[in-house]
Amino acid sequence: LKFAKEIAELTKGKKGYNIKILDLRKVSAIADYFVICSADSDRQVKAIADDVDEKLLDRGIKCYHREGFETLNWVLMDYFDVVLHVFKVDARTYYNLEKLWGDAPVISIPDEQ
């Protein structure tokens, strides 16, 4: 959970918002946590993903798998136990991971003021 919260906080550095952490430990073997955040543009999606990746790499933490950099509607970054999802607003509404994983407890991270 600590690592998921760290990733959530890192997304704020490039103005990620509506940040949620889904606790998947009792509902799936995919990962322990999903961190989900929204962005307003392709450019912002890329900036958030690149910034998180760079800051974690500086600490020696490598991303195992990345997807979505071709279209930048939804970027997924897999850090084994924690998977970061950076969505443009329309894509987040469409895919609605919060509903899909509705049995998972959710932690909301307050937006920057």
Side-chain angles (χ1 to χ4, degrees), residues 38-103:
S38 294
D40 292 323
S41 66
D42 298 0
R43 194 176 205 165
Q44 187 182 15
V45 167
K46 184 173 181 345
I48 292 168
D50 286 346
D51 191 56
V52 169
D53 195 38
E54 180 182 316
K55 289 195 166 114
L56 291 177
L57 215 63
D58 287 348
R59 292 178 34 205
I61 301 169
K62 294 181 182 176
C63 182
Y64 168 70
H65 181 76
R66 307 160 43 119
E67 290 182 26
F69 282 86
E70 304 80 27
T71 61
L72 296 171
N73 284 316
W74 172 9
V75 167
L76 176 148
M77 300 180 71
D78 185 349
Y79 292 95
F80 289 109
D81 295 337
V82 179
V83 177
L84 171 62
H85 300 269
V86 184
F87 281 101
K88 278 181 42 183
V89 175
D90 291 345
R92 183 170 181 177
T93 301
Y94 180 79
Y95 290 105
N96 200 358
L97 292 187
E98 291 97 324
K99 184 176 180 185
L100 183 65
W101 296 97
D103 292 342

